[in-house]
Amino acid sequence: MTLPNLSPKSIAAYNRFAKELAAFNAMLIKSKKPQPVQDETLMALNGLIIIANRLFRRHADLPRFFGVSVNKPMAHADLAVLVGRLTAASLHFEERYHHLTVPRPANSLD
């Protein structure tokens, strides 16, 4: 089955999602002494989950993600599992829409 290309708005949403997800992955890699995750990071994570659910909603085989509670800290291991699931879904989504990963010309706008 061939899927149509995503709209420019969807591509922009995916690019925002991918940048935020990369930031979470980098934080997980660089954290030397894992601490419980606090409310500001959890709010950012919830924003990432909202974007993911909007992007992936038309794909029945991609997972749905539930928001996390900002009222109590989240264990670092739980964050790692959730970010890993988001990353796996993101990679699967990119495989379907090859034009997301095609390099843009150097003079194109971000």
Side-chain angles (χ1 to χ4, degrees):
M1 178 174 108
T2 302
L3 297 170
N5 285 347
L6 295 174
S7 70
K9 184 177 176 181
S10 294
I11 291 171
Y14 181 78
N15 287 336
R16 283 191 308 274
F17 169 76
K19 287 177 185 175
E20 290 291 322
L21 185 58
F24 272 97
N25 276 306
M27 183 272 307
L28 287 172
I29 291 168
K30 292 180 181 181
S31 58
K32 303 284 186 214
K33 187 175 175 187
Q35 299 291 324
V37 182
Q38 300 297 324
D39 53 349
E40 282 188 41
T41 304
L42 295 174
M43 286 187 281
L45 182 60
N46 278 333
L48 193 63
I49 289 169
I50 290 169
I51 295 170
N53 285 331
R54 285 181 184 158
L55 285 168
F56 305 154
R57 71 178 168 230
R58 291 189 177 95
H59 302 277
D61 61 326
L62 290 178
R64 300 298 177 256
F65 299 93
F66 298 100
V68 298
S69 173
V70 296
N71 296 326
K72 61 179 183 170
M74 174 186 256
H76 192 268
D78 293 332
L79 175 66
V81 168
L82 185 52
V83 169
R85 288 183 62 226
L86 284 163
T87 301
S90 172
L91 293 173
H92 193 70
F93 189 76
E94 284 180 5
E95 288 174 0
R96 289 187 178 168
Y97 296 102
H98 296 287
H99 62 284
L100 287 172
T101 56
V102 173
R104 292 181 286 184
N107 62 353
S108 70
L109 300 175
D110 283 337

